[in-house]
Amino acid sequence: MYNLSCSDGLKYPGSEPVYITDIIPLATGLAAAASDQSIRLFDPLRLSQGPIKTLQTNHGNLTSTKAFNPAESIICTTGENGTVSLWDLRLDSAKSQVLRIQGTSEAALLSLACSSQTNALAAGTELANHQASILIWDLRSPSAPKIQYNEVHSDDVTELNFHPTNPTLLLSGSTDGLVNINDTSQTDEDEVVIQAFNHGSIHHAGFLNESTEVYALSHDEKFALYDMAESTEKGTAIFDTGDIRSVVNCQYVANVVPKVNGAGAVLGVGSQDQELFRLIHLTKTGTSWNLDSDTVVGLPGAHGSELVRSFCLFDEQQVVFTSGEDGWIKAWRPTA
């Protein structure tokens, strides 16, 4: 295992503990969403100097943050009061909320997906009044959703992701156990789901690359890959670890981050009792996937005995950023 050292960091102030739930790389810096309902923008080279700007969101409770356009530093947020906001982090804090949409007053919004290619924004609701919905807006006319699917899932919609090169395809995951591939050019709910994978209550799921493979991670840490190609047996995993905690000797999986170059992904796994967080590469040789035990990167000390909630990689700069339930955001680099 190759270890990195913490080279910089900042602990959020205040007497109440703050969880930093998401960190998102943008052209103007590193955006961090936290349980105090804030969005803070940091200079990734100067974390300890504090945020460049701080925004207070207005969702009641912030549940999801996604990059809408990283190159233009635009992000979207949503939460328990059913609203969605777009923020332009290039602007002054007072002017940075550039759009606010009332999605639903009946249910909290739990998940988001964005496509700047098609000006599309999708949000998934919790189960309320026996219904869990996916709402999709065209941001050029955001007064009402252009599509609403009410029967794709039967429980909380916990994950949404547009395909990176075919944004008419929307992956959705739910606590009903399903990962669905939805063709959003269809308005008929009987036609919208073109592939379904029964994996277990979904914590994270997404497209692994620009082709047809997807990953799924359940709330009880079962991990598998699926292929939505027609040539693959429908619903069958092409790589399945079962409970990944016993496979890689960890206590939890924070997330799965696809590599920018399409060469697999990185799993971030933690062990609180060892105060250790590790990055494990998922690689493909021919048609076979495997977890590469030879290229594991360790972050000793991590976030102490608290969980790491988010991480992101800057391969060219050889730096990893993490955030956790201890209120810290940290940068990790090779030891000089």
Side-chain angles (χ1 to χ4, degrees), residues 6 22 51 55 93 108 152 181 190 211-212 218 224 238 245 275 301 303 314 317:
C6 182
D22 291 288
L55 314 170
S93 297
V152 168
I181 308 299
D190 291 332
S211 61
T212 58
S218 68
I238 58 172
R245 290 173 294 189
E275 298 191 355
H303 288 252
F314 286 66
Q317 291 82 15

Side-chain angles (χ1 to χ4, degrees), residues 112-124:
L112 284 172
C114 313
S115 172
S116 56
Q117 278 179 269
T118 57
N119 290 292
L121 190 152

Side-chain angles (χ1 to χ4, degrees), residues 199-201 203 216-226 237 239-254 267 269-271 278 280 291:
H199 181 77
S201 179
H203 184 202
L217 176 70
S218 68
H219 284 107
D220 57 358
E221 313 294 0
K222 291 181 176 134
F223 178 72
L225 305 181
Y226 300 91
F239 178 76
D240 191 350
T241 68
D243 187 338
I244 196 168
R245 290 173 294 189
S246 60
V247 176
V248 298
N249 188 28
C250 72
Q251 291 172 282
Y252 68 95
V253 181
L267 281 70
V269 307
S271 303
R278 289 175 293 147
I280 301 177
L291 295 167

